[in-house]
Amino acid sequence: MDVTVELQNFIRVWFAAIGALCYCYYCVTHIPTGILRLLFVLPVIYFFLVLPLGLSSFHLGAPTIFYLVWLANFKLLLFCFDRGPLSSYSSSPLLHFLSIALLPVKPKHGTRDGSKISSRPRLFWGKIILLGAIIGAYSYREVLPSHVILVLYCIHIYIAVELVLAITVVPVRALLGLEIEPQFNDPYLATSLQDFWGRRWNLMVPGILRPAVYFPISSISARVLGKELAKLPAIFATFLVSGIMHELIYYYLSRARPTWEVTWFFVLHGICVCIEVTVKKYLGGVWQMNRVVSGVLTLAFVAWTGNWLFFPQIIRNGLDQKAINEYYVLVDLVKDKLLSVFGI
């Protein structure tokens, strides 16, 4: 992979995406909401589906795919029907509209439900150091036990995703002065699958899937099943859509034929969350498992099912090795630049 060419492609992709969103801001916002607006937005959605195909790098491609193919397209679909985050920013300055549309940011309005998540720079730098240590440990993968590799992969994905999302929101906060809601809420402290997926892990995803999938399915199901039971098909549908979108991301990164394992990972978790919600409803708070025990069981279940269904496609298609090699290329590039700067 030629780093210079890949960076040029990356810049072209994002300038093209900004141009498409300018069209939405200046033209589509004046079209009545509903099917008519959807017809004018569909070319942009298709454009965003095609744009990332020009990228081959894991670390440039993965965030771009997530931001454009998933988040931006879902936000645009909601925007067509005057829902979602963009509906509140259609009359705001262009930079605000572009930031909300293209990046995984959600301006904070008041205080979140739950405890306030403070800014912890020491923890941030600690995670960067830990990520470097994990990358270094991959050099010994051949002699490490499989369960140790599994733990390293789980921690690697968590830290890498959190750092990428955290770095993305820095210019938005600095340039626009928007107070941004955090993307993660200490997922390692989750006490249940519902807590892990709904309130702690990659919060931008449930934040966009609720209005796009959960609420519509729940509303439709309530007419047939009643308000309480309507939650279950809505939860299952939300996890199913998440699985399909992850499958699509895997395809962009590997260009390999889908094997649907990652979709089954989310289907399984959707079923388990439905069971959890039902059991909690019928127990009615009469009995509750110790938080430490439930936390360990939750993380163990996520790791075990991840090893079974989530990671195989990554490993089989060599995406893990591709990501590791790109880290080494980045380290060598930075090292060469520093040496040239200091004339060593």
Side-chain angles (χ1 to χ4, degrees):
M1 179 187 68
D2 189 315
V3 176
T4 303
V5 172
E6 186 70 5
L7 285 173
Q8 289 174 347
N9 291 336
F10 177 74
I11 293 170
R12 289 193 192 101
V13 165
W14 278 94
F15 270 106
I18 290 171
L21 263 298
C22 288
Y23 154 75
C24 291
Y25 180 79
Y26 288 112
C27 300
V28 177
T29 51
H30 301 290
I31 297 170
T33 57
I35 299 299
L36 182 60
R37 179 178 287 189
L38 177 62
L39 292 175
F40 280 86
V41 168
L42 281 177
V44 177
I45 292 175
Y46 174 76
F47 187 51
F48 282 179
L49 288 171
V50 173
L51 271 180
L53 292 173
L55 298 174
S56 59
S57 162
F58 183 91
H59 288 92
L60 295 180
T64 301
I65 295 162
F66 177 52
Y67 296 171
L68 297 184
V69 174
W70 190 344
L71 295 185
N73 276 344
F74 274 57
K75 290 174 185 178
L76 286 172
L77 286 172
L78 290 168
F79 174 63
C80 292
F81 300 95
D82 200 27
R83 298 181 183 278
L86 290 180
S87 61
S88 303
Y89 286 86
S90 57
S91 58
S92 299
L94 175 61
L95 279 179
H96 286 69
F97 183 85
L98 293 176
S99 299
I100 301 301
L102 292 173
L103 301 176
V105 296
K106 181 181 179 183
K108 186 182 295 185
H109 301 290
T111 306
R112 283 187 63 87
D113 302 341
S115 59
K116 184 178 179 181
I117 308 168
S118 60
S119 175
R120 292 164 288 187
R122 289 182 182 177
L123 186 59
F124 177 83
W125 288 108
K127 289 176 179 177
I128 291 180
I129 294 171
L130 180 56
L131 180 60
I134 291 172
I135 295 167
Y138 286 146
S139 302
Y140 307 95
R141 279 194 304 172
E142 295 181 359
V143 297
L144 290 174
S146 58
H147 63 275
V148 174
I149 296 295
L150 171 61
V151 172
L152 291 178
Y153 277 159
C154 291
I155 298 174
H156 183 174
I157 284 184
Y158 161 55
I159 295 178
V161 173
E162 183 178 31
L163 291 178
V164 168
L165 295 178
I167 292 170
T168 301
V169 303
V170 168
V172 177
R173 184 184 287 116
L175 295 175
L176 304 181
L178 294 176
E179 190 61 30
I180 307 300
E181 289 195 3
Q183 302 298 328
F184 284 83
N185 182 13
D186 300 332
Y188 45 83
L189 298 179
T191 56
S192 68
L193 289 177
Q194 187 181 13
D195 184 34
F196 181 87
W197 292 115
R199 292 183 286 271
R200 293 187 180 276
W201 180 265
N202 199 357
L203 299 177
M204 195 67 226
V205 170
I208 202 69
L209 287 177
R210 284 191 189 101
V213 181
Y214 180 85
F215 292 145
I217 298 296
S218 179
S219 177
I220 294 170
S221 301
R223 302 169 191 171
V224 180
L225 303 174
K227 186 176 180 180
E228 287 300 321
L229 290 177
K231 296 178 182 178
L232 302 182
I235 291 171
F236 180 79
T238 302
F239 275 89
L240 176 61
V241 171
S242 181
I244 292 171
M245 294 308 299
H246 278 83
E247 198 79 51
L248 186 59
I249 290 173
Y250 275 24
Y251 172 76
Y252 277 98
L253 293 174
S254 66
R255 309 296 162 87
R257 184 175 180 178
T259 54
W260 305 106
E261 287 152 296
V262 70
T263 300
W264 281 110
F265 171 83
F266 284 97
V267 167
L268 174 61
H269 278 254
I271 293 171
C272 291
V273 170
C274 288
I275 294 172
E276 179 188 322
V277 169
T278 304
V279 170
K280 285 180 178 177
K281 178 180 180 296
Y282 283 101
L283 286 178
V286 175
W287 178 82
Q288 191 171 5
M289 187 180 292
N290 180 275
R291 291 178 63 88
V292 175
V293 175
S294 64
V296 171
L297 290 176
T298 297
L299 295 181
F301 183 76
V302 172
W304 175 70
T305 53
N307 185 52
W308 175 30
L309 294 170
F310 190 88
F311 291 117
Q313 282 178 263
I314 293 177
I315 297 170
R316 186 169 55 248
N317 294 312
L319 293 178
D320 58 333
Q321 191 59 53
K322 183 178 182 180
I324 294 166
N325 290 340
E326 287 183 14
Y327 279 120
Y328 293 148
V329 169
L330 177 62
V331 170
D332 291 339
L333 184 64
V334 172
K335 189 187 299 182
D336 291 342
K337 292 293 183 183
L338 290 175
L339 291 176
S340 64
V341 168
F342 292 102
I344 301 175

